[in-house]
Structures are given as structure tokens and as C-alpha cells.
Amino acid sequence: MGWDAFGLPAEQYAIETGTHPKLTTVTNINRFTSQLKSLGFSYDWDRELSTIEPEYYKWTQWIFLQLFKRGLAYQAEVPVNWCPALGTVLANEEVIDGVSERGGHPVVRKPMRQWMLKITAYADRLLEDLDDLDWPESVKEMQRNWIGRSEGAELEFCILDGDGKEKDMQIIVYTTRPDTIFGATYLVVAPEHPLLSSLASTAQSNHMEDYIDLASRKSDLERTELQKEKTGVFTGCYAKNPANGEAIPIWVADYVLGSYGTGAIMAVPAHDSRDYEFALKYDIPVRWVVMPDDKSMNESGKAFPGEGIIVNSSDTLTGLDINGLCSKEAALKVIDWAEHGGNGKRKVNYKLRDWLFARQRYWGEPIPVIFLDDSGETVPLDETELPLILPELDDFSPSGTGEPPLSKAVTWVKTTDRLSGRPATRETNTMPQWAGSCWYYLRFMDPNNSKELVDKAKERYWGPVDVYVGGAEHAVLHLLYARFWHKVLFDIGVVSTKEPFQCVINQGIILGEVQYMACRDKDGNLISADSTNKLNENNLERISEEKVTKSGDSFVLKENPEIRLVARAHKMSKSRGNVVNPDDVISEYGADSLRLYEMFMGPLRDSKTWSTGGIEGVYRFLGRTWRLIVGLPLSDGTFKDRTVSVDEEPTIEQLRCLHKCIAKVTEEIEGTRFNTGISAMMEFLNAAYKWDKHPRSVVEAFVLLLSPYAPHMAEELWSRLGHTKSLAYEPFPKANPAYLKDSIIVLPVQINGKTRGTIQVEETCTEEDAFALASKDEKLSKYLDGQSVRKRIYVPGKILNVVLDRKNVKVGVQ
């Protein structure tokens, strides 16, 4: 078990309550630990670690130094999502609709000096090595899309002055569709493009400034949302299309990002849906240059983004003619033409950006570098100076200026360079919350090593991680960052594998109990929730479960079945009042019931809805298990110290029942289908209740099967079975294939060569036994009673044919 304990949530809580984040974090860890132990989770607590301990983050800082030495950690002035209220920079994923995901505070874009990690240097390897991983295809596809490798061209468009003459200034655009260059009727530059101030005409400058300010308040995710209405402002400036010499307007629009490609695009509205929407809104020409195979598509009133045959794409002055070529051939010809004429070049691009690796907050790992006061030179700490301890601060609230809280630790900030003795200043930004979680799995392998991150022999023994269970929300953050760091560690010889996690399983979440909702009309009367099209949280009223009943496919009010209700299960949250506290469940039903129910709700990978009523079913199962093995309670309500099992050899039928259960439970555990494994144990219990005696060997095997699911009860039963040591170290039962075959078969029975019925017999059934069973069968006995049998033909396991004397055959029997 490890605690990823640095980060914004802990610091924000500390600011709000005035409590040091170390105190609240340790308190929460202790509380969490007690809850986990009460649930009986089999963690190796000797390997427990926490990212906030200097013994741990020493090695996080060590990894940073390796990145810095290899040019993979650098500083740059970049536009960031700055949240004044939180006093920190936020990742794109932490900004929703212009406000912070945590707290809902306004966020603006502004340039700041930041540490960056060059994850883009590993883009191709991160992409290619996905193919060898046993991960959900959806997660691999999310990473592929996030990396976003594309092949295309960079093309130069000369900017024109007021007289239409070329200026000594170009806008370079990146495009994946150079075959559509003749269809480019305008350019779009991002609001943060460095040339933007040089492009604005006097008449348009005020409009542009207002638009740029508005765009700075949006996250990249908001700006690129396909569904949002496209907005922009004309710069008042034009550029020359190099393919046909045409002057085309330059616009600024926030659907283009400064961080992708060159921060500028050639807009081809006939063949890009975003450009098409923009062109229609601002009355910009639309020129078709790609003819689809289905000719009707260019009359559909929509953009055609696909490939086809190139048309309207020839110019004698520029010497470029791609008419009649297919899109792929045309693209190659345009790139060759551009490279030959100095108008562009082929280019591979990525959506993936370098990782912003600095936060203006206190509660994080200190970055192990200093800046020389006289020259500003960045100097990494020597490895012998690690860990660089986070200083104690009484005031860790954000400054509001962008200056990190650590700048308040004046005596810590001011230092000297170890080698030269020159005065220096420490870095006051801290690492982001992802840093410590990028490599924790390696520390589990060797948690107490003070000399190196992980012992090489131990890493080769344990690595890579066999199974990683985590939510899909980590697909493009933690999982991608961890893969990047692991590849760097692989390159420098710290680890022996290219990838950290061989298999990833996405678990579903457990939703709160189903809530039933109705609406009230303007007069305050309850009405069916589906009778209004203004369904929202404000006009819904929760109905208690005891007032609800099921009617067909709907839920309705018991007192008025005409009122249909909306039944929904939501993610657990305090605001909805649907959080289930495990302490309460354990108090009423026991930890084993909670464990068993969570697994019985459905497959691990599926999201499930909690039902307190449902837990009673597994609680009864455990009670039946206890009584089967221990016996009924005594008159005073207590139980015997031992069990009712007997020291006798089990019957063949008992062994078959047991080993089928072992095989099923084993298969379902390996397939993470724990719910069906529990069902198999329930079936075994039902069968065992019909036995007169319960052999000890069968009972012990069943208790071992149960132990991963209900360890507390299993340990108690194991002890009552006479064992003095824990069952945790016992081998898990193995199914014997000899007992897995179905010994009962269906045997067809013929009378005088005509099939008259079937009987169920053992595989080893003799002819005499088969005939005796046939004679007793209700249907077959009608043909055999009082008849003289001339002969019997018996093929074991296949057929029984009884040949009767013809003169004695009953007439009319059907």
C-alpha cells in the first residue's frame, strides 16, 4: 500500500482550515489504514510507502536530476492556466468551462516561466509500444489520440501589405491535407500566435485585443470542443496562397491552438467541418477541390473531409497542377513542389505537448535546482544533497501574484552553490501531484533501499507489474506519465523492461443507491417526471423508496400509479447524500459481508449500483456457511468450539461437487469475474446441505476457496477445523480433472428398433442396471410390462435396444 499524498486537494483543505497539510495528510492516512485493515485487505504493510516522506521523494528528485542532465527537463515561457484563487497553474484537464475543477474558481491564460518535461522526445516509442500491451483497447486508443501523431506539411504563406505586395514576413501553417491547398480561402492564427500583434490593422486592433482576452479565459479543451459555436475576428490583413497567388484574409480564432503545429492553419471550408461552420458564419468563400466518389456529397450542404479526386487545383503561374490525382498522390506532389520552391517541407506532428512540470504551491516535492544570483545560471543539486527537504511554513497560502508560497521561506530560499560558493536562490516552484505516482510501483519492489532507487536484481525479479487495476480516467495522465518515466529509467539502466504495466484492467465504479424522482407542476402537484421537457435538478423531488412500486418497465407512486418516476443512480457524493460509509456497513453486517457484496454486485470491469437490501443476501449466505460447518447454535445462542465435519472419505458425488466448484471459482478469479465465483460457492452450499455427512477434507477445501472473499470467517472456520496456523499460507485448492466429467448421461431406449424414450444413467452403468431403470420408467414401462424379451442390445453410453417377442407385443400402445 502506498499513499500518493502531495497535491492540491490536501493543500487547499489546509488553507481553508489553517491546518498544516502534513498533519491532515497523516491523520487521513491513519484513518484510511484502519479502514483498509478492518476490511481484511492483504497488503504487505512492511512495504508501505508515502510520497510525502523524504526517504521517498529523495528518489523522485533523483529522477528529476536524471531528466535534467539529459535535456529532458527544461524551462520555458509558456501560456498556462493560471487560477488566482488557488494560486497555482492547472493542467488543461483540471479546467472545466473556464473554472477550476476543484472549487470552481475562474481561470485565465497567461505566460509564465515553467519547468517542462520533454515527453515529446518519447512520442514515437510511447505510441509504438502500446501494441504489445494487454490493455483495454479503449485506453490504448485514448493514448494514441492524445499523442496524436500525424504526417503532413508545413507551408509558407507570405503576408501582404496594404497595397497587396509581399512583406518580408510569412505565416507558416501545418496541414495534414496539402492536397487541398487550392481550397484554402482564409488563414486562421491562434490568439497566442507571436505574429498576431504585427498583423492587426488599426481598425481591427481593439476588436482583436478584446477577443484575445476572452480566449485567454478558456481552456484548450473548451476551445477545441467540436460542438461549440465558432468565433473569430478578422485581423484586417491578408496573405498570399502560394499555390495560386490569391490574397486570402487572415483571421484570429480560438479553435486553433498556439500549442499545436505552428499555431496557424490554412482553412479549407469545403473539406473541414470546423472551417465550414466558420466560413458560413462570416461569409467566407467555400471552394470544392476534392470530388468524392459519391457525387451527391458535394451538394449535401456539408463539408466533405474525406479523400477523392482533386479538381479546381491548377495554376500555370505557380506551375502546380494536381487535377485528376487522388488525394494521396496530390499531397505528395504538393509537398515535393513546396520543397523544391522553398515554400514548405514535409513534417510529422504530434498533439502531445511537453509536460508542464511546475506548480506554484507549497505541498509538493521541492525541485532540486538553484539559480546563481550573479548570472541566473541554473545549477542542479548534487545527488549527495538529496533529499532537498520541504521547509516548514506557517503561512502556505498563495501569494496571489504568481510567486509560489515557498518564496516565503527566505532562509531556505537563499543558499550558496556547493562547488563555487557563490550566492544562489532555490527554485520555489514545486513538482506537480503526478510526480510521486510516476514510479511508486518500483519502490514497492525495494521500499527501504537508501542507496539506490531499486535494486537491479529485485527489479528483474518483480518487474514488470503483472496487473494494474485502475480507472480509465488515468489513461492520458498518470498512465502516460508513468510510461514516459519508465522508458527514461530503461534508457539509463535502472529498469530492465520497456514498459511498467503489462496488463491494465479498468474497474467500474460503485454508484449510490437508486434515487426516485418526480416533478411538481406550477400548482405544486406531483406529476410524472417524463411529462415535462424541462427536466433538471431544480424541479425534481426525491421520493422515498417505501412510496415506490414497480409497474411494467416503470417505477410509479404506490398511492397514485399514474405518476411515473425517474429512477437514477449517481456517483457517490456528499452533496447528493448517497455516500455509503464502509464503517456503518461493517458495524451492521461485518467486513466479510461488505467484501462479498462488492464482488457479488457484478463483474469487476462494470459499474454497479449499490443496494443496502442486496447485502442481506450475501450476509445470509455467510450465515448458512457458518451453520453448515459449525452447526446450529446452542440453547444460549453460542456455538460449539469445533465443527460438525467428520473424518471420513468423501463420496464420489461429493468429490464431483467440490471439484466442479474449485474449477469454477478458480476460473472466475483469474477472469476477475468474482460475482460468478461466488455463485458457484452458493451452488455448492445448496448441494452440501443435502448431504448426511460433511467430510473434513471437503469442508477444508471449501473454506480455502472462500478465504479470498471472506477471510475473517474463513480464518475462524480454519481454526475450528483444528489448525493452529493461518490459512493464508495454505496452497489454493486445485481441481482434479477426473472429477469434472459429468458421470450422468442420457441414454436413448429403443423398443423393437424404435426410440420410445430416454433414461439417465451413470457412464459406467451395466446392461442389467440400464434395463432395470428402463423397466421402472413411467413412459417405457408401458411397453415392457408383462412382455417377453427375446434379446437386448446394449452399447454402453450410446443406446439400449430391447427386442420383444412379436406375439406378445402390446397392440395400440403409443
Side-chain angles (χ1 to χ4, degrees), residues 276-294:
Y276 183 74
E277 290 173 34
F278 192 92
L280 287 185
K281 181 174 181 178
Y282 294 106
D283 198 25
I284 301 172
V286 177
R287 182 180 300 134
W288 278 74
V289 294
V290 180
M291 186 60 64
D293 294 334
D294 182 356

Side-chain angles (χ1 to χ4, degrees), residues 41 106 111 146 162 189 215 352 376 421 432 581 662 690 729 782 785 793:
F41 288 160
W146 192 261
V189 295
L352 181 69
N581 187 333
I662 293 172
K690 298 174 185 176
Y729 304 102
K782 294 185 296 185
D785 287 350
I793 303 170

Side-chain angles (χ1 to χ4, degrees), residues 323-624:
N323 278 335
L325 298 178
C326 69
S327 292
K328 282 187 170 60
E329 292 174 335
L332 293 173
K333 187 170 181 178
V334 170
I335 294 172
D336 289 342
W337 168 83
E339 289 185 328
H340 186 263
N343 294 320
K345 61 183 179 181
R346 66 188 72 244
K347 180 77 173 178
V348 173
N349 221 329
Y350 301 89
K351 288 182 182 177
L352 181 69
R353 302 291 91 199
D354 280 344
W355 177 8
L356 184 65
F357 197 74
R359 295 289 186 271
Q360 292 67 47
R361 61 180 180 226
Y362 168 68
W363 195 234
E365 298 92 340
I367 296 175
V369 298
I370 58 175
F371 306 101
L372 299 182
D373 289 350
D374 54 7
S375 65
E377 180 188 351
T378 304
V379 178
L381 295 187
D382 189 83
E383 292 178 12
T384 59
E385 298 179 81
L386 302 181
L388 174 60
I389 304 291
L390 184 68
E392 293 289 335
L393 274 186
D394 293 327
D395 179 14
F396 36 78
S397 59
S399 62
T401 63
E403 196 68 23
L406 273 183
S407 61
K408 300 173 186 177
V410 179
T411 56
W412 180 84
V413 171
K414 292 300 177 183
T415 186
T416 55
D417 178 28
R418 189 179 68 91
L419 292 179
S420 66
R422 293 150 68 186
T425 302
R426 295 194 191 279
E427 172 62 82
T428 52
N429 285 314
T430 54
M431 298 187 196
Q433 64 200 54
W434 307 104
S437 63
C438 276
W439 69 279
Y440 69 95
Y441 58 95
L442 293 172
R443 197 60 177 171
F444 283 140
M445 302 174 187
D446 194 10
N448 302 311
N449 194 330
S450 61
K451 296 182 179 178
E452 55 187 337
L453 187 149
V454 60
D455 176 78
K456 286 182 170 54
K458 291 180 179 178
E459 185 278 328
R460 283 194 298 271
Y461 174 80
W462 287 108
V465 173
D466 297 289
V467 180
Y468 174 109
V469 180
E473 68 272 13
H474 295 305
V476 295
L477 296 172
H478 163 63
L479 280 177
L480 193 61
Y481 297 156
R483 293 183 64 220
F484 164 47
W485 275 31
H486 191 89
K487 289 183 182 300
V488 174
L489 294 174
F490 175 73
D491 289 348
I492 64 177
V494 174
V495 298
S496 59
T497 62
K498 293 191 300 181
E499 289 286 337
F501 315 119
Q502 188 55 39
C503 172
V504 166
I505 295 173
N506 293 146
Q507 88 283 11
I509 62 171
I510 296 181
L511 304 172
E513 294 218 38
V514 173
Q515 297 179 345
Y516 303 96
M517 303 288 186
C519 290
R520 289 195 183 274
D521 60 19
K522 59 183 180 181
D523 298 321
N525 300 313
L526 282 174
I527 59 173
S528 294
D530 58 2
S531 63
T532 174
N533 56 8
K534 296 180 180 179
L535 197 63
N536 57 57
E537 295 291 329
N538 297 324
N539 61 9
L540 285 174
E541 181 173 319
R542 186 171 176 182
I543 308 297
S544 59
E545 188 174 1
E546 58 267 18
K547 296 180 180 179
V548 178
T549 187
K550 187 84 181 285
S551 176
D553 294 332
S554 303
F555 291 94
V556 298
L557 274 181
K558 282 181 181 178
E559 61 183 28
N560 185 357
E562 295 298 314
I563 297 179
R564 295 178 301 280
L565 308 175
V566 171
R568 292 178 180 167
H570 299 275
K571 190 174 180 179
M572 291 187 190
S573 67
K574 290 181 180 177
S575 62
R576 291 191 180 275
N578 64 347
V579 174
V580 176
N581 187 333
D583 296 344
D584 298 336
V585 179
I586 292 171
S587 175
E588 185 170 357
Y589 295 101
D592 285 348
S593 294
L594 175 57
R595 291 170 60 102
L596 210 60
Y597 179 58
E598 284 206 358
M599 290 182 275
F600 192 54
M601 290 169 73
L604 174 68
R605 293 169 171 82
D606 295 353
S607 291
K608 284 86 66 176
T609 302
W610 179 270
S611 169
T612 301
I615 198 171
E616 293 175 357
V618 296
Y619 179 70
R620 287 193 299 271
F621 163 70
L622 289 174
R624 293 185 72 219

Side-chain angles (χ1 to χ4, degrees), residues 107-109 191 207-218:
V107 175
V108 297
R109 298 278 286 180
H207 298 299
M208 282 178 53
E209 287 176 11
D210 291 343
Y211 185 79
I212 292 168
D213 179 64
L214 188 65
S216 73
R217 303 177 189 277
K218 299 179 182 178

Side-chain angles (χ1 to χ4, degrees), residues 780-800:
L780 294 170
S781 63
K782 294 185 296 185
Y783 298 96
L784 299 173
D785 287 350
Q787 299 301 305
S788 175
V789 177
R790 191 196 313 168
K791 66 174 179 176
R792 297 192 301 247
I793 303 170
Y794 180 60
V795 182
K798 300 293 185 182
I799 197 167
L800 170 65

